[in-house]
Amino acid sequence: MDVYTDVLVIGTGVSGLYSALNLKDNLNIIMISKGKIDECNTALAQGGISVARGVDDVDLFVEDTLKAGAYKNDVTATRILAEESIENIDTLCKMGFDFDRTNDGLSYTREGAHSINRIVHYKDKTGKELEETLLKQVSSKKNITIFENCTMLDILKKGNACAGALCTREGVQVSIHAKVTIMAAGGIGGLFRNSTNQKILTADGVAVALKNNIKVKNLNYIQFHPTAFFNNNLSDRKFLISESVRGEGGKLINCNGNRFVDELLPRDVVTKYIYEEERNTHCSNVYLDVTFMKEDFLKNRFPTIYEKCLENGINISKEPIPVSPAQHYFMGGIEVDTFGKTSMENLFAFGECSCTGVHGANRLASNSLLEALVFSKRGARKINNDISTIPMINLDTPSLDYNEKYYKNLNNKIFIESLVKVRGDIKNELVNC
Ligand SMILES: Cc1cc2nc3c(=O)[nH]c(=O)nc-3n(C[C@H](O)[C@H](O)[C@H](O)COP(=O)(O)OP(=O)(O)OC[C@H]3O[C@@H](n4cnc5c(N)ncnc54)[C@H](O)[C@@H]3O)c2cc1C
């Protein structure tokens, strides 16, 4: 089957939805999601979204981001992130995002390696609220159509110009031809045994880039979150205990009950200390202790975490939470400029599958949703300006010589092989390795 559209957006997380909302209403837009529409990491985000506390905070916000990223960040992109943070949070407020508030305005919390409180949030369900807010806006747009359970297997291309994507939906091959294609296909956690990510997110965007010689960057930069709920079941997605729990005062203790680290150090540093502590104490996990906080506060501030731990037999107001690190975020990805433009003509990439360079070697907490907002809006504006000069490339419908399973295995193999070349040390963390 052949379908034609002005813009194809691969992914319905924050980067896909927000880019579509920032495209002009007179463009036809098709969005696809591999699973259900909200089966994405965006809907799982707990902690919140970073935002500069006014223009006076921009320099400090940039410095915090660079420091956490071990100064491997792209400085220009990082400055754009901080400078454009405020207008994007304002936009979300106008869309009706229900941020937590105090009498003075928005409520700002703190997370590891931020010098001040600058994370806006909705309880511990920021991502769910964000996904729902954006989906509501998208569903009111007549020019946007969403195909759920539609998997991109490869891009369509002519020379170095992208012309859409080859997809499969309920066993039927669909070629979606587009003047501009946006890759917003998210992270890589589905390829890891222990990850906080949705299982269906298997680095498809980056794999397809590798396969088509589109430039990628920083494949070795993978973030392990220090505090995922510990259990022995490897087939489970690991439930995250948000950094904001430590931001509100939660203490890390080892299995002998002793504190061993400053909880608000950058994620990679805390993760390293936890692994060391687990080795030294011969215990498979450490604990996050919030038992000194009032039960009412915990129930109200962290309702999801409270409930989820209770389901797993832990009342967090009475006993410490067993935690251990798990794969969480991919700082590398498809190389893009500050408008999300890739090295292939007519192909943009936003969100976790892209690499703007803002995170350097280690992402500062709550900078991911912000990065997706800032750069997908910038990219959408560039597409709005340029699209009238981009013709639809006429391609013969490619015949799918191989089945869906073949493509999926091939994509996984391409990504894993490239990853292991630069990060041999994490080979054992990967599934099927
Ligand atoms: C548990 C958890 C908590 C987090 N908390 C925070 C937080 O508090 N603050 C913060 O800033 N960040 C947080 N993050 C990170 C952040 O949520 C993600 O980095 C961000 O949501 C990524 O958005 P995205 O749009 O790039 O991808 P996603 O939201 O993951 O969406 C990816 C989309 O791509 C689609 N897709 C993938 N492959 C294909 C394919 N082959 N064909 C078709 N569609 C495809 C998927 O179906 C999905 O719709 C958290 C992440 C996790 C896992």
Side-chain angles (χ1 to χ4, degrees), residues 139-157:
S139 61
S140 70
K141 298 269 184 187
K142 293 201 168 45
N143 60 322
I144 304 179
T145 309
I146 301 184
F147 297 153
E148 282 185 301
N149 302 313
C150 180
T151 302
M152 176 256 333
L153 302 173
D154 205 346
I155 50 165
L156 300 172
K157 65 173 181 181

Side-chain angles (χ1 to χ4, degrees), residues 100 123-124 295-303 306:
D100 286 343
K123 300 185 184 291
D124 60 357
E295 188 160 12
D296 279 353
F297 169 78
L298 291 169
K299 275 186 181 167
N300 185 48
R301 178 67 182 85
F302 302 114
Y306 183 91

Side-chain angles (χ1 to χ4, degrees), residues 129-399:
E129 170 71 11
L130 179 61
E131 183 74 11
E132 282 170 7
T133 304
L134 298 178
L135 272 174
K136 199 166 160 199
Q137 298 281 322
V138 162
S139 61
S140 70
K141 298 269 184 187
K142 293 201 168 45
N143 60 322
I144 304 179
T145 309
I146 301 184
F147 297 153
E148 282 185 301
N149 302 313
C150 180
T151 302
M152 176 256 333
L153 302 173
D154 205 346
I155 50 165
L156 300 172
K157 65 173 181 181
K158 191 167 186 185
N160 190 42
C162 184
L166 179 61
C167 306
T168 170
R169 193 181 189 208
E170 286 151 16
V172 178
Q173 178 192 335
V174 189
S175 296
I176 307 180
H177 303 260
K179 293 179 184 168
V180 170
T181 302
I182 292 174
M183 194 66 82
I188 67 172
L191 296 173
F192 283 75
R193 292 189 298 136
N194 271 312
S195 173
T196 60
N197 289 194
Q198 293 283 11
K199 290 273 179 196
I200 62 161
L201 298 176
T202 50
D204 300 357
V206 188
V208 162
L210 285 162
K211 187 159 55 177
N212 290 284
N213 295 321
I214 298 161
K215 281 191 190 162
V216 298
K217 204 173 156 187
N218 295 348
L219 293 193
N220 52 329
Y221 291 159
I222 296 163
Q223 183 170 78
F224 285 72
H225 196 288
T227 57
F229 188 91
F230 175 78
N231 68 21
N232 275 321
N233 191 345
L234 288 179
S235 61
D236 280 1
R237 183 180 75 74
K238 293 290 174 274
F239 178 69
L240 183 76
I241 308 296
S242 166
E243 189 137 4
S244 51
V245 175
R246 280 173 284 136
E248 297 284 355
K251 302 286 174 248
L252 280 166
I253 52 175
N254 65 19
C255 56
N256 301 317
N258 302 320
R259 211 172 147 208
F260 58 91
V261 67
D262 170 358
E263 290 79 4
L264 292 182
L265 287 169
R267 284 182 180 172
D268 55 342
V269 182
V270 179
T271 293
K272 193 168 116 310
Y273 276 106
I274 293 178
Y275 279 138
E276 253 173 45
E277 202 61 21
E278 289 175 357
R279 265 196 307 276
N280 293 342
T281 55
H282 306 289
C283 293
S284 46
N285 61 285
V286 296
Y287 294 89
L288 184 56
D289 187 10
V290 292
T291 53
F292 50 90
M293 296 183 197
K294 293 219 162 69
E295 188 160 12
D296 279 353
F297 169 78
L298 291 169
K299 275 186 181 167
N300 185 48
R301 178 67 182 85
F302 302 114
T304 316
I305 294 172
Y306 183 91
E307 280 306 320
K308 189 78 186 176
C309 289
L310 210 53
E311 274 171 32
N312 283 279
I314 306 286
N315 179 336
I316 64 173
S317 69
K318 300 206 163 45
E319 49 197 320
I321 311 165
V323 292
S324 194
Q327 189 282 338
H328 182 60
Y329 185 76
F330 186 42
M331 276 79 64
I334 306 171
E335 185 174 325
V336 292
D337 67 10
T338 54
F339 295 94
K341 173 103 194 47
T342 71
S343 65
M344 177 171 267
E345 287 305 308
N346 311 336
L347 178 69
F348 288 73
F350 305 136
E352 194 167 338
C353 70
S354 71
C355 182
T356 60
V358 295
H359 306 303
N362 175 55
R363 170 169 72 91
L364 181 66
S366 287
N367 266 358
S368 167
L369 297 175
L370 179 62
E371 179 199 32
L373 292 167
V374 167
F375 291 96
S376 60
K377 180 184 200 172
R378 290 172 65 84
R381 288 189 169 171
K382 172 142 185 63
I383 295 168
N384 289 339
N385 282 335
D386 296 352
I387 198 158
S388 61
T389 63
I390 302 174
M392 181 73 86
I393 297 173
N394 284 321
L395 277 185
D396 293 335
T397 308
S399 62

